[in-house]
Amino acid sequence: MIELKNVKKTFTLHNQGSAVIEVVNDVSFAVARGECVALTGASGAGKSTLMRMIYGNYLTQAGQIRIGDTDIAQAEPRDIIALRRKVLGYVSQFLRVVPRVPTLDVVAEPLRATGASTDAAAERAKALLTQLNIPQRLWSLSPTTFSGGEQQRVNIARGFAFSYPAMLLDEPTASLDAANREVVLTLIEQAKARGAVIIGIFHDEAARARVCDREIDVSHFTPGIAA
Amino acid sequence: MTDQSYNFAYLDEQTKRMIRRAILKGLAIPGYQVPFASREMPMPYGWGTGGVQVSAAVLTPEDCFKVIDQGADDTTNAVSIRTFFERTARVETTTATAEASVIQTRHRIPEEPLSKGQIVVYQVPIPEPLRFLEPRESETRKMHSLEEYGLMHVKLYEDISRHGHIATSYAYPVRVEGRYVMDPSPIPKFDNPKLGDMAAIQLFGAGREQRIYALPPYTQVVSLDFEDHPFEASKAAHCCGLCGAQDSYLDEVIIDDAGGRMFVCSDTDYCEARRAAGHKGKDAA
Amino acid sequence: MTPLLSVQGVTKHYGSYIGCADVSFDLYPGEVMGIVGESGSGKSTLLNCMAGHLAPDVGEVVFDTRMDGPRDTVTMSEPERRMLSRTDWAFVHQHARDGLRMGVSAGGNVGERLMAVGERHYGDIRDQAIDWLERVEIDATRVDDRPTTFSGGMQQRLQIARNLVTGPRLVFMDEPTGGLDVSVQARLLDLLRGLVRDMGLSAIIVTHDLAVVRLLADRLMVMKSGRVIEAGLTDQVLDDPQHAYSQLLVSSVLQV
């Protein structure tokens, strides 16, 4: 379902003496439906970069990144937009929202974007916020004022609002307490059970061991770091 | 004293030809504002310089000329314009609507229906009906040429939203032959229905603004309105105090220091003719 | 799928000075595209060429019309183009007073486009105006007030209502949040996002505010000296800019 072939990424810093930084090279792997794969490797190995490339957030210099029939490395922006709307979900570590928008609407938005009715989207958002222990009195407030852990949970609710066939998870359990960590792991297991393809970064080793079927050490693809 | 030193009807022949060409063009395109090279006239702007130039261009020595100002033949403006053409064109003048072949008017249409062969000349202060909402002349011309008249209804919309009804009571905009939106000059909207299907030729002259426009006989003229706020030709709900007429446009006249008032026909000729025929209002002496 | 707007090789010179040069792109239904660049980069010239306010020297601006399919709006007759600009197109100016009639009530401002396309029932027009005021979060009791009595943010929302009342398919926006307080900006952005999503609008937004495009635009073009130097997915261009100037632009944003 997600397949990378000979993928390469470099950054050229034009304003810093045109320094060229090679991040990853010749990355190839595939992840099947219902499978959850963890990207591992030391900090700076390129885990997040690879995730962002799969999401289309970073440009891929060479190779193919296939999600279904779409090659992210070659796709037009509108194809990537369509893919992100209905196929590819992403839970980042950071919450980026329009200030002032109530939490409930923030969570419901990805669902609204898929064409769900206002009511259905709100129902799903309420269920997720409840499940993730965000107190109801906060729902009408903007999450920009929330604590780090609360923001992280709002982000997760947003990422799981729609049942994406493929998901990218960047540290989904970081800064969560035991109870909420359990909720998130359950959500991941449910997503796997319905056949979603999942690629994640988990520093939480116990979580990784519980939900991931295998690990891919990104250091193997990192030039200059001995594997 | 007659002024032989002036050409017939004051203006030189070339100027009159130029004005006639503008008039003919205006008649060919009913409601369209034709630019013309307005001349300085021996009277201030606002006193009918546009109307006077149009009258000068259409008058012939055989014509009989009538001037009304807000319906009256005896106000300063009417008297002086009448005298002007008596002296410069030596045409016959009259106050009787039916006898006149050319009627110059400021802000009224005579009550008595006009007939074939007559010409009405309107004095126009501001010819552009879109002016108050769109001050750019370049833009209003474009709106006319492209028939973009939504703005005209915005004006009426504003009226209703503010007053509960269309409060525009004079210079009420009309659509001519389904094409040009036209300012009928500041006649009361009571007169609007007379504009359409009229047997006489109607010419409009704006001196300061240098525009002439026209309605040939029997032109379709429709007052703009909304489906749920239709046009109404309104007048004061009274009879003429002098002649008792119920169907004429009335002026309200304050008659003493105690707030006493009476309503009289604004069309003096119409009122006099009725009184001569024996009609009598409640205030008649 | 037919692009809603297809811009091909649009070039506009001011004498020997380049306004914009050889700009091409396709915009599909429902897409929001941002155009960023510094003052004088040609983004406003390009916007005005696309919206029919300026005639490009060279190039095509093909719009997928409802009646006749794709038509080059540069060569179509002026009446047709003006008809488009009051039906299928909308233009939101940076300064609300450029896009509003300040001497006309809020209801009249919103109703104008309806009357321009032939609506002649006062009650219906007023109802639609009130409905739109509420959609842009302006209290219905303000319907008869003039925009001069409105705050800057309200004026901008009124301008948006006035533009969207006829259900356009393409909205051009020139710095829609410029000159507004930051708190008001956020509210306006949220409103625009909702309208774009619910009405399936396509939009082209010119701004120098990268935060605005990140929140509103799906795609981004970066302009410099009249030329498009980089284009792509908004978050990709902002997070992984390829061109030296884009990198400078992104790295120059002050972090809060």
Side-chain angles (χ1 to χ4, degrees):
Chain A
M1 171 73 190
I2 297 183
E3 186 179 12
L4 283 74
K5 267 189 200 163
N6 313 110
V7 168
K8 175 180 178 169
K9 175 69 194 170
T10 58
F11 288 110
T12 307
L13 307 179
H14 292 285
N15 300 301
Q16 293 175 44
S18 293
V20 177
I21 300 169
E22 275 199 52
V23 188
V24 289
N25 196 7
D26 205 19
V27 184
S28 298
F29 64 82
V31 186
R33 287 171 58 83
E35 195 180 17
C36 176
V37 166
L39 301 181
T40 62
S43 187
K47 303 184 293 292
S48 286
T49 299
L50 205 50
M51 290 265 277
R52 284 165 170 253
M53 288 162 72
I54 297 170
Y55 195 58
N57 179 221
Y58 282 0
L59 216 56
T60 299
Q61 260 71 30
Q64 291 182 3
I65 299 177
R66 293 208 154 273
I67 298 174
D69 297 329
T70 309
D71 178 6
I72 295 283
Q74 299 289 330
E76 290 292 320
R78 67 190 178 100
D79 296 326
I80 298 179
I81 292 162
L83 199 75
R84 286 177 179 184
R85 191 168 293 149
K86 294 213 163 168
V87 178
L88 185 61
Y90 184 63
V91 177
S92 79
Q93 295 186 65
F94 309 101
L95 183 67
R96 199 167 236 156
V97 293
V98 182
R100 195 195 78 110
V101 178
T103 297
L104 194 64
D105 295 345
V106 166
V107 175
E109 201 199 355
L111 214 49
R112 295 288 310 277
T114 65
S117 73
T118 314
D119 290 346
E123 281 313 305
R124 173 72 179 146
K126 284 176 189 169
L128 276 164
L129 288 170
T130 308
Q131 204 177 347
L132 285 156
N133 303 304
I134 302 285
Q136 195 169 349
R137 63 189 160 78
L138 297 182
W139 293 1
S140 58
L141 306 178
S142 164
T144 45
T145 56
F146 290 5
S147 72
E150 284 165 345
Q151 288 197 4
Q152 170 77 345
R153 279 177 278 150
V154 170
N155 223 5
I156 289 165
R158 208 174 131 81
F160 282 89
F162 179 70
S163 301
Y164 298 100
M167 295 190 76
L168 305 171
L169 309 175
D170 192 354
E171 297 274 17
T173 56
S175 66
L176 294 186
D177 60 31
N180 285 312
R181 177 173 169 276
E182 183 57 34
V183 174
V184 173
L185 292 178
T186 307
L187 283 170
I188 296 172
E189 283 166 348
Q190 286 168 350
K192 279 178 70 179
R194 65 172 161 77
V197 184
I198 299 173
I199 298 177
I201 299 171
F202 301 86
H203 282 137
D204 176 348
E205 282 182 36
R208 197 196 307 162
R210 176 166 152 193
V211 296
C212 296
D213 302 300
R214 59 193 167 99
E215 298 180 3
I216 293 171
D217 186 349
V218 177
S219 314
H220 292 298
F221 311 117
T222 317
I225 297 182
Chain B
M1 186 186 83
T2 56
D3 295 83
Q4 296 299 324
S5 50
Y6 288 118
N7 189 36
F8 177 76
Y10 184 75
L11 291 174
D12 63 275
E13 291 304 310
Q14 290 301 332
T15 297
K16 286 193 280 187
R17 267 180 222 158
M18 175 271 293
I19 294 171
R20 286 175 199 139
R21 280 196 296 271
I23 291 170
L24 286 172
K25 183 167 178 183
L27 285 166
I29 317 170
Y32 173 73
Q33 297 168 47
V34 184
F36 79 111
S38 179
R39 299 290 193 245
E40 293 290 332
M41 296 302 285
M43 60 179 68
Y45 287 128
W47 287 64
T49 54
V52 165
Q53 290 179 77
V54 171
S55 293
V58 299
L59 277 175
T60 65
E62 295 76 36
D63 271 316
C64 182
F65 190 56
K66 168 182 163 84
V67 187
I68 51 174
D69 177 1
Q70 310 244 20
D73 292 275
D74 52 3
T75 60
T76 313
N77 196 212
V79 170
S80 60
I81 290 173
R82 197 160 56 228
T83 312
F84 177 77
F85 283 113
E86 280 169 357
R87 287 174 61 178
T88 60
R90 280 178 291 164
V91 289
E92 198 186 326
T93 58
T94 181
T95 58
T97 300
E99 285 170 22
S101 55
V102 177
I103 302 171
Q104 181 171 334
T105 171
R106 175 174 175 269
H107 308 183
R108 269 314 306 276
I109 298 176
E111 303 293 353
E112 194 176 327
L114 299 171
S115 52
K116 191 177 160 188
Q118 288 184 303
I119 297 176
V120 193
V121 178
Y122 296 82
Q123 299 174 201
V124 181
I126 295 170
E128 180 48 72
L130 300 161
R131 172 75 48 85
F132 291 101
L133 290 156
E134 177 53 71
R136 289 170 296 177
E137 176 79 17
S138 56
E139 186 65 16
T140 55
R141 269 198 230 182
K142 198 163 274 179
M143 291 160 87
H144 280 295
S145 66
L146 302 179
E147 288 186 68
E148 289 181 7
Y149 290 133
L151 201 52
M152 221 50 254
H153 274 86
V154 172
K155 187 166 183 273
L156 301 179
Y157 173 97
E158 290 293 284
D159 254 15
I160 303 172
S161 73
R162 208 166 303 149
H163 306 288
H165 61 274
I166 298 177
T168 299
S169 55
Y170 63 94
Y172 192 104
V174 295
R175 188 96 186 242
V176 179
E177 288 287 333
R179 179 59 183 85
Y180 286 96
V181 165
M182 187 188 93
D183 183 326
S185 87
I187 58 172
K189 67 177 172 184
F190 174 81
D191 283 343
N192 268 29
K194 300 179 198 163
L195 290 163
D197 215 25
M198 189 192 275
I201 292 174
Q202 301 176 77
L203 306 176
F204 299 78
R208 182 181 45 212
E209 301 266 345
Q210 313 199 327
R211 292 289 184 277
I212 285 171
Y213 49 101
L215 299 173
Y218 307 109
T219 300
Q220 183 205 66
V221 179
V222 177
S223 302
L224 301 182
D225 61 2
F226 285 102
E227 289 160 14
D228 48 344
H229 287 269
F231 171 81
E232 275 177 61
S234 58
K235 64 180 271 283
H238 294 272
C239 303
C240 174
L242 298 177
C243 77
Q246 297 180 6
D247 56 355
S248 68
Y249 190 72
L250 302 173
D251 283 339
E252 185 178 355
V253 184
I254 305 295
I255 50 174
D256 56 33
D257 289 346
R261 57 184 192 159
M262 64 186 285
F263 290 89
V264 294
C265 291
S266 95
D267 185 338
T268 53
D269 174 59
Y270 182 71
C271 198
E272 277 162 22
R274 278 179 54 83
R275 277 181 283 157
H279 294 283
K280 211 168 184 187
K282 66 180 174 64
D283 301 316
Chain C
M1 193 176 187
T2 312
L4 184 66
L5 188 75
S6 179
V7 175
Q8 300 298 331
V10 165
T11 301
K12 175 75 185 173
H13 287 269
Y14 300 105
S16 60
Y17 176 78
I18 295 173
C20 61
D22 199 23
V23 178
S24 301
F25 68 89
D26 289 336
L27 185 78
Y28 288 85
E31 276 187 338
V32 178
M33 193 174 78
I35 303 177
V36 297
E38 60 199 3
S39 301
S41 60
K43 54 192 196 300
S44 292
T45 297
L46 176 61
L47 190 74
N48 283 316
C49 283
M50 292 188 287
H53 299 168
L54 276 176
D57 302 332
V58 184
E60 293 181 356
V61 178
V62 178
F63 181 75
D64 186 17
T65 61
R66 286 183 215 233
M67 299 297 284
D68 309 316
R71 295 276 314 275
D72 182 6
T73 63
V74 176
T75 53
M76 73 168 44
S77 71
E78 189 175 9
E80 285 180 293
R81 195 163 52 238
R82 283 175 71 110
M83 180 55 111
L84 267 186
S85 67
R86 57 176 198 264
T87 53
D88 264 354
W89 289 358
F91 197 102
V92 176
H93 294 262
Q94 174 177 6
H95 301 292
R97 56 180 56 244
D98 294 337
L100 291 173
R101 293 194 190 278
M102 298 307 280
V104 169
S105 70
N109 263 290
V110 178
E112 181 178 343
R113 273 172 78 115
L114 296 172
M115 293 181 247
V117 295
E119 295 216 16
R120 292 290 178 264
H121 192 282
Y122 173 83
D124 290 351
I125 292 165
R126 191 177 171 80
D127 288 348
Q128 289 190 61
I130 288 173
D131 177 47
W132 264 98
L133 290 183
E134 286 173 343
R135 286 173 78 167
V136 298
E137 302 169 26
I138 293 174
D139 198 292
T141 58
R142 303 298 301 270
V143 65
D144 294 330
D145 295 345
R146 291 186 178 188
T148 42
T149 66
F150 287 8
S151 69
M154 281 171 75
Q155 287 182 6
Q156 198 59 296
R157 279 178 276 134
L158 179 63
Q159 192 193 178
I160 288 165
R162 169 179 159 87
N163 268 286
L164 297 189
V165 65
T166 48
R169 292 188 294 155
L170 176 59
V171 186
F172 300 102
M173 298 191 213
D174 189 5
E175 303 273 7
T177 60
L180 296 179
D181 286 345
V182 178
S183 60
V184 178
Q185 278 188 18
R187 190 171 175 194
L188 191 71
L189 285 176
D190 178 36
L191 177 76
L192 284 172
R193 259 165 85 105
L195 291 171
V196 163
R197 180 192 59 217
D198 297 341
M199 298 177 73
L201 292 175
S202 301
I204 295 176
I205 302 173
V206 160
T207 180
H208 62 261
D209 189 338
L210 298 183
V212 167
V213 290
R214 188 184 281 279
L215 292 172
L216 274 183
D218 305 309
R219 292 166 56 192
L220 188 60
M221 289 200 322
V222 182
M223 290 189 73
K224 185 178 191 311
S225 308
R227 292 176 189 279
V228 176
I229 53 161
E230 186 164 353
L233 269 179
T234 300
D235 58 296
Q236 182 260 301
V237 174
L238 293 179
D239 294 339
D240 185 18
Q242 304 296 306
H243 191 279
Y245 176 73
S246 318
Q247 291 185 356
L248 186 67
L249 194 71
V250 170
S251 63
S252 303
V253 176
L254 296 174
Q255 299 291 325
V256 201

